[in-house]
Amino acid sequence: MKKHDRIAAVLLIVLGLAAAYYAYADLKLGTLRHPDSGFMPFLASLVVVATAATWLWSLRGPDPEPRPFWEKGAWVKPLLAVTFLIIYAATLEPLGYLPATFIFLGLWQFLVERVNWRRAALVTVLGTAGMYLLFVQLLGVYVPESIFGF
């Protein structure tokens, strides 16, 4: 499994360096006393690079027991998860926050997590209500209104 971890670590290093370059070249870094918009992304990307480099360093040496990247059928859950996230992103604006979040959480609980219907319904209802209260009521974040006006 070390082979796949090494690939992931190298990809994280490349992405982190690209993000650091973008923050440095396109956004302004500013100074420590007066940071600009690129300062925090630059620091965060350096942390990603350092962490991935440390991870890569810890993976040196031969792989004791090579295994395939995907066990049989193990790709189904990640594929469903990505599909539902894409559907959620696509329906958030047209349907509105509450219906899209409700549908997303319901699909996630029933089809990705495969929990019983009582738990799925409870998580879907409480999760939707809790996120609405947190983001809209407490934090004042703008969310798209639903087609039903709420």
Side-chain angles (χ1 to χ4, degrees):
M1 202 60 177
K2 280 187 176 183
K3 175 184 172 186
H4 303 111
D5 290 342
R6 285 187 196 112
I7 293 169
V10 168
L11 284 174
L12 282 173
I13 290 171
V14 169
L15 288 173
L17 289 173
Y21 177 76
Y22 173 74
Y24 176 77
D26 291 350
L27 303 174
K28 303 275 191 249
L29 289 182
T31 65
L32 283 176
R33 290 186 184 261
H34 302 287
D36 214 336
S37 62
F39 188 73
M40 287 306 290
F42 183 76
L43 287 181
S45 60
L46 291 182
V47 168
V48 168
V49 169
T51 305
T54 304
W55 183 27
L56 185 62
W57 178 259
S58 73
L59 294 169
R60 65 191 188 283
D63 197 349
E65 52 181 78
R67 293 187 316 219
F69 184 67
W70 293 106
E71 300 293 332
K72 185 174 182 172
W75 56 270
V76 174
K77 269 190 174 185
L79 180 65
L80 280 173
V82 169
T83 303
F84 292 149
L85 283 170
I86 291 169
I87 291 170
Y88 180 60
T91 60
L92 190 60
E93 196 68 36
L95 289 181
Y97 180 75
L98 284 176
T101 303
F102 185 81
I103 292 168
F104 169 72
L105 287 178
L107 287 173
W108 192 279
Q109 291 300 308
F110 281 113
L111 300 176
V112 176
E113 291 300 321
R114 301 217 181 253
V115 297
N116 67 46
W117 70 270
R118 286 186 181 122
R119 182 174 176 195
L122 185 67
V123 168
T124 299
V125 170
L126 292 179
T128 302
M131 286 189 287
Y132 182 80
L133 288 173
L134 174 68
F135 291 117
V136 176
Q137 301 299 322
L138 293 175
L139 298 176
V141 175
Y142 165 76
V143 296
E145 283 189 17
S146 75
I147 55 177
F148 306 111
F150 52 84

